[in-house]
């Protein structure tokens, strides 16, 4: 049974909820990755590049704004999202054959 932080009475409770959330985050990352693959499929016939600087800036700013709205440290989450973006671009480059050029 899911508990809020305030409902956790033991470290075991806290750890169980963190593990539950980590699994949920991984599920969301896996879903996000499906969209990265699809983006490459759509970009290929359009001859679009993996790296679209305007979109990268937009996603980074979204991460920063969302962090602020949720009371999180914006610089940390912008950095985290930058790593996600860089990893996705590298993956798209492989799928698009850009890393062979």
């Amino acid at each position: 049974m899911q508990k809020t932080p305030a409902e956790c009475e033991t470290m075991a409770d806290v750890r169980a909820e963190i593990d539950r959330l980590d699994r949920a985050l991984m599920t969301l990352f896996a879903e996000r990755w499906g969209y990265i693959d699809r983006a490459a499929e759509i970009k290929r016939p359009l001859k679009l590049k993996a790296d679209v600087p305007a979109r990268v800036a937009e996603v980074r700013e979204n991460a920063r704004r969302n962090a602020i709205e949720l009371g999180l440290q914006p610089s940390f989450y912008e950095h985290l999202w930058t790593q996600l973006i860089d990893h996705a671009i590298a993956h798209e480059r492989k799928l698009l054959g850009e890393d062979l050029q």
Side-chain angles (χ1 to χ4, degrees):
M1 181 175 170
Q2 182 176 327
K3 296 181 179 184
T4 66
E7 293 170 332
C8 291
E9 295 179 3
T10 66
M11 285 306 301
D13 289 345
V14 170
R15 290 177 181 137
E17 292 306 315
I18 288 172
D19 291 347
R20 178 187 61 77
L21 288 169
D22 286 350
R23 175 70 183 178
L25 286 169
M26 286 298 175
T27 299
L28 289 171
F29 283 134
E31 181 180 351
R32 189 181 194 279
W33 201 253
Y35 290 102
I36 301 303
D37 285 340
R38 184 64 181 138
E41 291 172 0
I42 292 169
K43 287 177 178 181
R44 186 177 296 111
L46 299 173
K47 303 210 183 312
L48 297 174
K49 296 286 186 188
D51 188 359
V52 180
R55 178 60 181 154
V56 169
E58 180 182 18
V59 174
R60 287 180 64 187
E61 182 52 38
N62 287 344
R64 176 173 274 287
R65 186 186 68 255
N66 289 333
I68 290 168
E69 288 174 6
L70 294 167
L72 300 170
Q73 184 181 22
S75 60
F76 174 82
Y77 290 94
E78 183 180 1
H79 177 72
L80 182 62
W81 252 249
T82 298
Q83 289 182 294
L84 286 170
I85 293 163
D86 290 348
H87 187 59
I89 289 170
H91 180 69
E92 278 190 40
R93 282 185 172 142
K94 286 179 186 172
L95 293 176
L96 295 171
E98 290 179 25
D99 61 343
L100 303 175
Q101 299 173 0

